[in-house]
Amino acid sequence: MKPYLPQNDPDPTKRKYFLERKLEEYEFDYDFLPPMAMLKDVPAVENFSTKYIAERAVETADLPINMLAVKTRGLWDPLDELQDYEDYFPVLPKPNVIKTYQTDDSFCEQRLCGANPMALRQIKEMPLDFEFTIQELQRKFGESIDLAEKLANGNLYITDYRPLSFVKGGTYERGRKYLPTPLAFFCWRSSGFSDRGQLVPIAIQLNPALGKQSQLITPFDDPLAWFHAKLCVQIADANHHEMSSHLCRTHFVMEPFAIVTARQLADNHPLNILLKPHFRFMLANNDLGRKRLVNRGGPVDELLAGTLQESLQIVVNAYKEWSLDQFALPTEIKNRGVDDAEKLPHYPYRDDGMLLWNAIKNFVSEYLKLYYKTPEDLRADFELQAWAQELVSQSGGRVKGVPDRIEKLEQLIDIATAVMFTCGPQHAAVNYPQYEYMTFMPNMPLAGYKQMTSEGTIPDRKSLLSFLPPPKQTADQLSILFILSAYRYDRLGYYDNNFPDPEAQQILVTFQQDLNEVERKIELNNKSRLIKYNYLKPRLVTNSISI
Ligand code: MN
């Protein structure tokens, strides 16, 4: 199958009939989560292969053995101690975070290289609708760091979960679930030696909607009160992670690209050849997610803090703010004010992510230059122009941040780079840490289970335990997040088939060499990191959102 742009294809009739069939096979659906564009029915060719199904079954075989052992140990009874949560891993490996989760270092590192390294943002003034002044914050925190100076220098950061506060909470068999929506302050404190230093927590306001009635909790408060405050951040972050960063901003936003590519680009279109491996199994996987993850009574309904309706609203809200250009890695980190390595020297997600971004961009550029030698080649490519048109159309993909006509190669390179990065590294960065960070409940539960304390009362150990997930929810959160992160179908830049075009194949080989170089650099980066960041190592990144 020789690649051709449509204007050069010696058999245009065959090509035309092929695409007419595709228009019937891949249809849009806007009813599942309006206004998002999704696929109506999954064509058979998109289904999981027998290799995928068999390998994934092998990778998850230890789960039933683990859960049976948990059951026979009687762990379904109420838990007495935080350590009891460690006993949920009799067969499966214990997450490393068990050793460090109570420390502020671990809490801060998770903002920079945990399951959801996309929430931290720099502030240049105090956040809107936050009723304390910087002086009041300073008084509460103490004198060890000059916060006004840090604010002026761009070294103050927040994670702000207030946009989730519309979530009132779902129910479980014994009562209500809760979603805390705190506002947390952090500061980069340099040690004075070159780029050394660390992110430290300053304060957490548990319920900013109450204004000054909701106190600021700091690391110098009662240890249990501080631990509880951090846990509230972790719960909010877990809900933001699953519904916004993971499900919406990788799985669902990429779906229209897969649909439109199938509908508008022939199999031998060079762009289709480039993108197809990065959509592998995604449509089937997303369809499965709609039927078995976000269905009534399914894991999201059972385990996340909100009602199912509320959790899905987080997805829709995240979608409304998403666009391909603003969420392209270099722009996205700039928008959050975390792109500057002078201000924030330690940010593994950014640093390793940019290595991959650049490698992908190089590859995409060299590849596309093979086929588009002049602007006329782009203009005459009527399939490509129909592709762009349908991506943005209201009766098509409804994608934002993409032009509806492609005039310059640079535009196409930007789109293809952002799509490949989102399907590969971005999804890997939020999908595969789920086991490490989100299966041990005291680190990152998906919901709170008992309104802890009213403002100002200090929690005790018992109330903390009843705040954490009960045994059944613990077992179910561990199980589902293990299943969602235990298997990698393939590896970024390695495809089942060679490119049909020898010149393109040579460019692919160069890409693979670049990825090896990235792997080496990340290993070097890891040498100076407190916690190794492995999720963006190219070997552990998959091509597509296949899980
Ligand atoms: Mn996933």
Side-chain angles (χ1 to χ4, degrees):
M1 188 189 57
K2 199 168 153 35
Y4 283 111
L5 296 179
Q7 64 268 38
N8 305 328
D9 198 320
D11 194 350
T13 318
K14 184 176 159 208
R15 192 155 171 151
K16 186 165 157 269
Y17 284 129
F18 172 85
L19 283 174
E20 275 170 12
R21 231 178 26 249
K22 295 285 179 166
L23 293 183
E24 286 164 21
E25 285 175 35
Y26 294 78
E27 284 187 275
F28 284 104
D29 172 270
Y30 306 103
D31 295 333
F32 185 78
L33 262 189
M36 301 174 73
M38 294 175 174
L39 182 67
K40 198 173 257 171
D41 300 303
V42 181
V45 40
E46 298 284 347
N47 280 333
F48 295 116
S49 64
T50 44
K51 173 175 179 273
Y52 179 103
I53 294 166
E55 286 180 357
R56 195 168 167 185
V58 169
E59 294 298 324
T60 50
D62 280 346
L63 181 66
I65 306 168
N66 187 79
M67 298 325 288
L68 189 66
V70 167
K71 219 169 197 168
T72 53
R73 288 180 188 195
L75 276 174
W76 298 80
D77 303 328
L79 302 164
D80 303 318
E81 287 295 336
L82 284 176
Q83 289 93 307
D84 290 350
Y85 283 99
E86 293 181 30
D87 298 338
Y88 281 81
F89 304 88
V91 176
L92 295 176
K94 282 189 185 178
N96 290 313
V97 77
I98 289 178
K99 293 179 224 140
T100 57
Y101 75 99
Q102 292 182 333
T103 66
D104 289 353
D105 282 349
S106 171
F107 178 63
C108 287
E109 282 298 297
Q110 288 182 61
R111 316 279 75 82
L112 301 166
C113 55
N116 190 33
M118 263 79 53
L120 191 76
R121 56 174 65 242
Q122 182 194 49
I123 52 170
K124 296 196 166 131
E125 49 197 60
M126 294 305 268
L128 224 57
D129 299 325
F130 176 67
E131 295 195 7
F132 293 99
T133 62
I134 185 93
Q135 290 78 19
E136 288 168 314
L137 186 65
Q138 182 81 67
R139 246 193 318 281
K140 178 70 187 150
F141 178 75
E143 298 302 318
S144 57
I145 297 173
D146 184 341
L147 297 179
E149 185 201 311
K150 290 292 184 187
L151 181 65
N153 287 343
N155 291 129
L156 271 198
Y157 299 87
I158 56 168
T159 55
D160 186 355
Y161 302 101
R162 292 178 297 174
L164 303 182
S165 62
F166 70 90
V167 173
K168 299 301 163 218
T171 57
Y172 73 113
E173 60 280 4
R174 283 189 285 129
R176 275 191 57 196
K177 293 184 287 187
Y178 298 92
L179 181 63
T181 52
L183 178 59
F185 291 83
F186 302 85
C187 171
W188 176 262
R189 185 170 60 180
S190 72
S191 71
F193 291 101
S194 64
D195 64 346
R196 295 297 171 86
Q198 64 180 154
L199 192 71
V200 292
I202 300 297
I204 297 168
Q205 190 182 27
L206 289 186
N207 195 350
L210 294 180
K212 283 193 167 176
Q213 284 175 18
S214 178
Q215 294 178 5
L216 295 166
I217 320 273
T218 78
F220 309 110
D221 279 305
D222 170 82
L224 280 184
W226 176 237
F227 179 66
H228 170 248
K230 289 193 289 182
L231 198 51
C232 289
V233 171
Q234 294 288 85
I235 293 172
D237 199 51
N239 282 265
H240 180 262
H241 166 269
E242 290 297 5
M243 293 296 101
S244 176
S245 302
H246 182 203
L247 186 61
C248 178
R249 289 174 176 172
T250 64
H251 284 258
F252 284 167
V253 297
M254 286 296 111
E255 184 154 336
F257 288 92
I259 301 171
V260 176
T261 299
R263 283 166 57 88
Q264 300 296 344
L265 303 179
D267 263 7
N268 63 340
H269 191 290
L271 184 60
N272 189 327
I273 293 170
L274 176 70
L275 293 181
K276 210 173 185 176
H278 300 281
F279 299 141
R280 189 120 196 236
F281 305 132
M282 178 176 72
L283 293 172
N285 191 40
N286 284 358
D287 188 63
L288 194 67
R290 287 191 279 273
K291 289 174 176 145
R292 305 247 192 98
L293 273 182
V294 296
N295 55 317
R296 199 150 291 289
V300 166
D301 194 3
E302 183 204 353
L303 300 171
L304 269 72
T307 62
L308 180 59
Q309 192 68 35
E310 288 171 337
S311 295
L312 290 174
Q313 191 60 45
I314 302 177
V315 176
V316 173
N317 293 351
Y319 169 79
K320 287 181 176 162
E321 284 173 21
W322 188 88
S323 64
L324 190 73
D325 57 342
Q326 292 306 305
F327 281 78
L329 182 68
T331 308
E332 198 275 330
I333 55 178
K334 207 169 262 158
N335 290 344
R336 284 189 290 119
V338 291
D339 55 316
D340 185 350
E342 300 260 303
K343 295 266 181 256
L344 185 63
H346 172 71
Y347 189 11
Y349 163 75
R350 172 197 64 200
D351 295 340
D352 297 359
M354 281 308 298
L355 293 173
L356 279 167
W357 176 274
N358 291 331
I360 289 172
K361 185 161 185 175
N362 256 337
F363 166 57
V364 167
S365 308
E366 292 308 309
Y367 176 89
L368 290 173
K369 276 184 207 156
L370 275 185
Y371 302 98
Y372 297 103
K373 306 228 185 266
T374 66
E376 182 50 28
D377 292 335
L378 278 170
R379 277 196 287 274
D381 184 344
F382 51 89
E383 285 180 10
L384 180 76
Q385 299 303 345
W387 180 79
Q389 182 92 59
E390 184 165 272
L391 274 176
V392 305
S393 160
Q394 277 307 299
S395 56
R398 299 182 174 181
V399 173
K400 286 175 284 184
V402 172
D404 64 355
R405 259 198 79 78
I406 295 174
E407 307 279 355
K408 294 189 217 121
L409 188 56
E410 208 40 55
Q411 294 172 309
L412 185 56
I413 290 169
D414 286 346
I415 299 170
T417 302
V419 167
M420 258 183 79
F421 185 86
T422 308
C423 291
Q426 184 58 33
H427 175 259
V430 292
N431 192 79
Y432 292 105
Q434 291 179 105
Y435 185 77
E436 166 68 14
Y437 291 107
M438 304 176 77
T439 56
F440 176 64
M441 294 311 113
N443 185 58
M444 207 171 185
L446 287 163
Y449 281 82
K450 186 177 172 260
Q451 190 104 52
M452 276 285 295
T453 50
S454 52
E455 276 296 330
T457 50
I458 291 171
D460 58 24
R461 295 202 86 83
K462 207 163 156 271
S463 61
L464 206 54
L465 277 162
S466 52
F467 183 59
L468 287 168
K472 181 181 186 302
Q473 283 75 8
T474 295
D476 289 349
Q477 183 176 330
L478 189 165
S479 299
I480 188 68
L481 296 185
F482 172 75
I483 288 169
L484 292 183
S485 57
Y487 171 59
R488 289 171 171 89
Y489 171 74
D490 60 5
R491 168 180 168 191
L492 182 65
Y494 291 78
Y495 304 133
D496 284 357
N497 299 308
N498 285 344
F499 281 149
D501 185 335
E503 276 184 283
Q505 184 59 28
Q506 191 47 50
I507 288 167
L508 177 60
V509 170
T510 306
F511 179 44
Q512 292 166 350
Q513 287 162 352
D514 287 351
L515 290 174
N516 285 337
E517 185 59 18
V518 170
E519 184 97 12
R520 207 186 56 79
K521 284 185 184 153
I522 293 178
E523 275 167 14
L524 204 65
N525 289 345
N526 272 341
K527 287 204 163 103
S528 58
R529 290 171 178 165
L530 197 64
I531 296 165
K532 311 271 169 261
Y533 190 53
N534 292 322
Y535 301 107
L536 287 178
K537 280 188 174 172
R539 269 172 210 278
L540 298 178
V541 171
T542 48
N543 283 310
S544 69
I545 303 174
S546 49
I547 189 159

